[in-house]
C-alpha cells in the first residue's frame, strides 16, 4: 500500500441529523428511473409502455449512441407511467412494484469460472444485464462506452460529503461480492484497479482485505472522498486518457450478477437531516419512492427533500424517488424566510450559521469543528457580479485553478478549458466552490456546460 496522501484543502460541513447505525426495512410502492440521472444520454430508446409487466433486470431503454448497454428495471411489476416533458423529452419511467420480486435469471459463475472466462464474455454479460450504467467514464462523468478501453479503474470507498452514510455499515457482509466485482472489472478493463481508503478511520473489513487491486489511503476534509480528487493524486487524467470510476455499490452489484445470476438493485440508504425525527438506514431498492420514508418521520412540513447530499443532490417532491446513483435522502428546512440584516442577517454577530469566510457577523469559526449546524436552503443572497476572491483555490485539493477554469467556460474558451483541467473534474469536485461563493454563481451547472461543450467540440 502506498503512503497516506494528506489533503489540506477543503471544508467539512458538519450538519445535524446524522444517521444512527440502525437498519429498517422499506418496501416502496413504486420505483422510478429518471433520465436526468445519466448526464450525456444521447437519444434514449424506450422499450416499454404503460401497462407492460416487467421483471427485475428487464430492459427499460437504451441509448442510441451505445445501443448494446441496457438500462434495466430495478424491480418486477407494472409500468404505470412513462413521463415526458417538452418536445416529448423523456423524464422518468415509473414502475408499480410487485409484492414478491421476480428476476430475469442469468447464468451463475463460480470464482474459478470468473477467473477463466474471457474479457469479451464478461463485458457482454455486464452490458446486457443492467449493471453497466454503474460504470462511469472520466473525462465527462458519463456512463462509460464499453468499446473504449480505460487507462485505469478508480473506486473511492468513503464519502466525506455532509451527512454521508458510513460505507462500512452500508455494505457490511458483502465482501465476497465486492471481491468478485473487482475481479470482473480487472478482467474487463485489462488495467489496474485503484481503491481509495479512508486513512482517518479503521481499515474497513469490506474494502481493506480486497485482492487484485492497488490500495491508496487519503485523509483530509471534504472533498477527500471524491473519486475525482483521488484520481488527480494517483494518476491524473490527460487529454486522450479514459478512466472508469465506480461506487462500491456498483462493484457489489456486478459481483452479485456473476455469483447469483441476478440484477440485484436492492440497496441501503441513509435518511438524514435536521428535520428528520429518527435519522437512520433503510434497506430498500434503487429508485425507491420516499413517501413512506418521510411519513410521520419529520419535525416540520416546511422542508426540502434532497436525493443525495446537500451540496450536489437533487431536489425531489415528498412523493418523489431516490436518484440512480444516490445512497441518501437529506431533509433540511426550506430557507425562504427573509432575514433582517441587523438581527439575523449579514451584520448580526451570530455564530449559529456556518460560514467558510471569517466575515464580520458570521462567527461560526468560534464554535470549533465538532459543532453541528441546522442550515436551511437559503443562499443568503442572489446572483451578482462574479468577483475573484481567491477562496475557490482553498477548497479544491487539486492542482488546478478553479476560478480560471470557470471563467474559461463562461468565455467559451476551449483551449483554456483544456489547459485548466476540464478533463479532470465533475460537478461534485467543485461543489464546495458553489457553497462558499460570495457571487452566488451556479458553479456546478457551469462545469456541466463546460463538459458538454468539450464533448460536442
Amino acid at each position: 500500500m502506498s503512503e497516506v496522501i494528506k489533503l489540506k484543502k477543503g471544508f467539512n460541513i458538519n450538519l445535524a441529523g446524522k444517521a444512527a447505525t440502525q437498519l429498517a426495512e422499506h418496501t416502496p410502492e413504486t420505483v422510478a428511473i429518471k433520465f436526468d440521472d445519466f448526464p450525456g444520454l444521447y437519444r434514449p430508446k424506450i422499450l416499454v409502455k404503460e401497462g407492460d409487466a416487467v421483471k427485475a433486470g428487464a430492459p427499460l431503454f437504451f441509448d442510441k449512441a451505445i445501443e448494446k448497454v441496457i438500462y434495466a428495471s430495478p424491480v418486477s411489476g407494472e409500468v404505470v407511467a412513462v413521463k415526458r416533458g417538452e418536445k416529448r423529452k423523456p423524464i422518468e419511467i415509473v414502475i408499480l412494484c410487485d409484492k414478491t420480486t421476480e428476476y430475469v435469471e442469468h447464468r451463475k459463475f463460480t470464482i474459478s469460472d470468473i477467473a477463466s472466462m474471457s474479457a469479451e464474455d464478461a463485458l457482454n454479460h455486464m452490458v446486457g444485464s443492467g449493471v453497466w450504467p454503474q460504470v462511469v467514464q472520466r473525462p465527462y462523468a458519463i456512463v462509460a462506452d464499453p468499446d473504449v478501453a480505460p487507462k485505469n479503474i478508480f473506486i473511492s470507498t468513503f464519502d466525506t460529503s455532509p451527512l454521508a452514510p458510513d460505507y462500512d455499515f452500508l455494505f457490511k457482509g458483502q465482501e465476497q461480492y465486492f471481491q468478485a466485482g473487482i475481479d470482473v472489472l480487472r478482467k474487463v478493463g485489462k488495467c489496474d484497479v485503484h481503491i481509495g481508503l479512508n486513512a482517518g478511520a479503521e481499515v474497513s473489513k469490506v474494502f481493506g482485505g480486497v485482492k487484485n487491486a492497488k490500495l491508496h489511503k487519503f485523509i483530509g476534509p471534504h472533498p477527500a472522498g471524491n473519486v475525482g480528487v483521488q484520481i488527480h493524486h494517483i494518476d491524473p487524467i490527460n487529454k486522450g486518457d479514459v478512466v472508469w470510476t465506480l461506487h462500491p455499490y456498483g462493484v457489489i452489484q456486478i459481483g452479485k450478477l456473476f455469483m447469483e445470476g441476478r440484477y440485484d438493485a436492492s440497496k441501503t440508504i441513509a435518511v438524514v437531516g435536521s428535520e428528520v425525527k429518527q435519522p437512520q438506514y433503510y434497506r430498500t431498492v434503487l429508485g425507491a419512492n420516499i413517501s413512506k420514508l418521510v411519513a410521520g418521520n419529520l419535525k416540520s412540513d416546511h422542508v426540502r427533500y434532497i436525493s443525495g447530499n446537500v451540496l450536489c443532490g437533487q431536489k425531489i417532491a415528498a412523493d418523489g424517488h431516490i436518484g440512480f446513483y444516490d445512497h441518501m435522502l437529506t431533509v433540511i428546512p426550506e430557507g425562504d424566510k427573509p432575514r433582517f440584516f441587523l438581527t439575523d442577517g449579514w451584520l448580526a454577530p451570530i455564530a449559529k450559521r456556518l460560514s467558510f469566510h471569517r466575515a464580520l457577523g458570521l462567527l461560526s469559526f468560534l464554535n470549533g469543528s465538532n459543532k453541528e449546524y441546522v442550515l436551511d436552503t437559503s443562499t443568503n443572497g442572489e446572483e451578482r457580479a462574479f468577483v475573484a476572491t481567491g477562496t475557490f483555490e482553498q477548497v479544491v485539493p487539486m492542482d488546478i485553478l478553479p476560478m480560471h477554469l470557470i471563467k474559461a467556460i463562461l468565455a467559451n474558451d476551449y483551449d483554456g478549458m483544456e489547459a485548466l483541467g476540464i478533463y479532470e473534474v465533475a460537478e461534485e469536485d467543485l461543489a464546495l466552490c458553489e457553497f462558499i461563493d460570495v457571487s452566488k454563481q451556479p458553479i456546478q451547472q457551469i462545469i456541466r456546460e463546460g463538459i458538454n461543450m468539450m464533448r460536442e467540440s
Side-chain angles (χ1 to χ4, degrees):
M1 185 181 297
S2 62
E3 63 180 9
V4 176
I5 299 173
K6 299 179 180 178
L7 305 176
K8 296 181 179 179
K9 295 180 179 179
F11 186 58
N12 285 327
I13 301 175
N14 198 18
L15 298 183
K18 289 184 175 64
T21 51
Q22 299 174 358
L23 185 62
E25 296 291 333
H26 169 248
T27 305
E29 292 183 353
T30 61
V31 301
I33 297 297
K34 296 178 277 191
F35 291 84
D36 283 347
D37 286 343
F38 309 101
L41 208 60
Y42 174 59
R43 285 182 62 191
K45 172 67 175 178
I46 298 175
L47 303 172
V48 294
K49 60 182 183 299
E50 292 182 10
D52 283 356
V54 293
K55 292 183 178 180
L60 294 180
F61 67 94
F62 63 84
D63 185 358
K64 290 184 177 178
I66 315 175
E67 294 190 359
K68 62 183 177 182
V69 175
I70 70 157
Y71 296 73
S73 173
V75 294
S76 64
E78 179 186 352
V79 178
V80 291
V82 180
K83 297 182 180 178
R84 294 179 180 273
E86 294 182 358
K87 299 181 181 178
R88 292 188 55 75
K89 176 188 175 183
I91 304 297
E92 64 180 6
I93 297 174
V94 183
I95 301 163
L96 181 65
C97 306
D98 286 341
K99 291 183 178 179
T100 303
T101 304
E102 294 184 37
Y103 294 89
V104 174
E105 298 294 340
H106 298 279
R107 180 187 166 189
K108 297 180 182 179
F109 297 87
T110 63
I111 297 298
S112 57
D113 288 337
I114 294 174
S116 60
M117 71 189 308
S118 69
E120 289 70 24
D121 288 344
L123 177 67
N124 291 333
H125 196 53
M126 288 176 65
V127 298
S129 60
V131 300
W132 187 264
Q134 297 288 344
V135 184
V136 174
Q137 170 193 308
R138 296 244 185 158
Y140 310 136
I142 56 175
V143 174
D145 184 342
D147 292 328
V148 179
K151 174 187 174 186
N152 285 304
I153 299 173
F154 295 91
I155 301 154
S156 174
T157 61
F158 66 104
D159 189 348
T160 49
S161 62
L163 297 173
D166 179 352
Y167 283 10
D168 282 357
F169 188 81
L170 225 57
F171 305 118
K172 184 178 180 181
Q174 305 196 55
E175 293 90 339
Q176 58 174 333
Y177 300 122
F178 187 75
Q179 182 63 62
I182 293 293
D183 293 342
V184 172
L185 286 168
R186 195 165 183 269
K187 180 181 290 290
V188 171
K190 302 175 184 175
C191 61
D192 289 332
V193 178
H194 299 270
I195 295 179
L197 300 173
N198 185 5
E202 290 186 16
V203 176
S204 165
K205 294 180 181 177
V206 183
F207 311 117
V210 70
K211 301 174 183 176
N212 301 324
K214 295 183 177 180
L215 307 184
H216 308 267
K217 284 190 171 183
F218 292 83
I219 189 169
H222 183 66
N226 283 13
V227 70
V229 173
Q230 296 176 9
I231 293 170
H232 180 82
H233 290 275
I234 297 171
D235 191 359
I237 302 171
N238 296 308
K239 184 179 182 180
D241 290 344
V242 169
V243 304
W244 292 349
T245 70
L246 287 96
H247 191 279
Y249 172 77
V251 181
I252 290 169
Q253 197 178 53
I254 292 169
K256 287 181 177 178
L257 170 70
F258 281 79
M259 296 185 72
E260 296 185 348
R262 289 177 173 178
Y263 172 67
D264 185 349
S266 61
K267 67 162 51 175
T268 300
I269 66 166
V271 178
V272 297
S274 61
E275 302 311 292
V276 180
K277 289 181 181 176
Q278 190 170 358
Q280 65 174 68
Y281 293 87
Y282 292 86
R283 184 182 290 115
T284 182
V285 68
L286 186 154
N289 182 279
I290 68 166
S291 298
K292 291 183 180 178
L293 291 172
V294 297
N297 194 23
L298 299 180
K299 298 175 183 177
S300 70
D301 57 359
H302 195 52
V303 298
R304 180 172 296 188
Y305 306 97
I306 301 170
S307 177
N309 66 64
V310 294
L311 288 174
C312 41
Q314 296 296 318
K315 177 183 176 182
I316 60 175
D319 60 349
H321 298 83
I322 297 290
F324 187 86
Y325 296 106
D326 295 329
H327 299 269
M328 58 192 294
L329 169 67
T330 311
V331 187
I332 59 174
E334 194 65 70
D336 51 2
K337 179 183 176 183
R339 294 187 175 117
F340 185 55
F341 73 103
L342 285 176
T343 55
D344 61 352
W346 62 273
L347 200 53
I350 57 175
K352 63 181 181 182
R353 282 213 315 273
L354 180 65
S355 174
F356 176 78
H357 309 279
R358 295 194 170 192
L360 177 67
L362 296 174
L363 307 176
S364 60
F365 60 90
L366 297 175
N367 293 325
S369 58
N370 294 324
K371 165 78 174 175
E372 292 184 345
Y373 295 88
V374 177
L375 302 184
D376 60 29
T377 61
S378 172
T379 58
N380 302 312
E382 57 189 11
E383 190 173 326
R384 60 199 69 163
F386 199 176
V387 180
T389 60
T391 52
F392 287 5
E393 286 72 16
Q394 297 176 37
V395 296
V396 180
M398 305 167 77
D399 188 20
I400 64 172
L401 298 171
M403 177 66 77
H404 294 73
L405 172 60
I406 293 163
K407 290 193 171 184
I409 296 171
L410 293 173
N412 297 341
D413 179 359
Y414 289 77
D415 291 338
M417 283 189 273
E418 190 173 291
L420 290 164
I422 189 71
Y423 296 131
E424 293 208 66
V425 299
E427 294 96 317
E428 62 177 10
D429 299 321
L430 274 69
L432 272 175
C433 297
E434 191 166 305
F435 178 77
I436 68 169
D437 183 22
V438 296
S439 304
K440 315 300 179 187
Q441 298 290 323
I443 303 297
Q444 296 179 79
Q445 178 185 328
I446 294 171
I447 291 295
R448 178 48 63 181
E449 289 171 358
I451 288 172
N452 290 340
M453 282 192 284
M454 294 304 293
R455 283 191 68 204
E456 294 165 1
S457 65

